[in-house]
Amino acid sequence: MEISGLISAIIIGIVIGVLGRLVVPGRQHIGVIVTILVGIVAALLGTAIAAGLGVADTDGPDWIEWLIQIALAAVGIAALDRTVGRRH
């Protein structure tokens, strides 16, 4: 992976992570770095799922791919929040 691909993955991960965090109601007890990591993983998995469904490359914005990525990020953030929340 080139440095530009890594930087774009981090930026997309930030956006997806923040959007996923906004979808989850209430206050989350996970940090910013964890949110970014969840966003990066959700973006990669969401792209793979969208490609498998055949909706990854469309004319214009790939709204379905974004929705899949955000949903995965929200699920990941909620799951981690429940895990971390139990320790506190």
Side-chain angles (χ1 to χ4, degrees):
M1 177 180 271
E2 295 179 15
I3 191 70
S4 62
L6 182 63
I7 292 171
S8 64
I10 291 170
I11 292 171
I12 290 169
I14 290 169
V15 172
I16 295 296
V18 168
L19 290 173
R21 195 169 177 144
L22 288 173
V23 170
V24 177
R27 185 172 189 273
Q28 293 83 38
H29 301 285
I30 61 173
V32 173
I33 300 298
V34 175
T35 301
I36 293 170
L37 292 175
V38 169
I40 291 170
V41 170
L44 294 172
L45 286 175
T47 299
I49 291 170
L53 295 173
V55 295
D57 293 321
T58 60
D59 295 334
D62 297 326
W63 296 111
I64 297 173
E65 182 178 359
W66 273 81
L67 290 174
I68 293 169
Q69 292 171 337
I70 293 167
L72 288 172
V75 168
I77 288 170
L80 282 175
D81 184 48
R82 295 190 100 195
T83 304
V84 171
R86 289 183 183 169
R87 285 193 256 157
H88 289 271

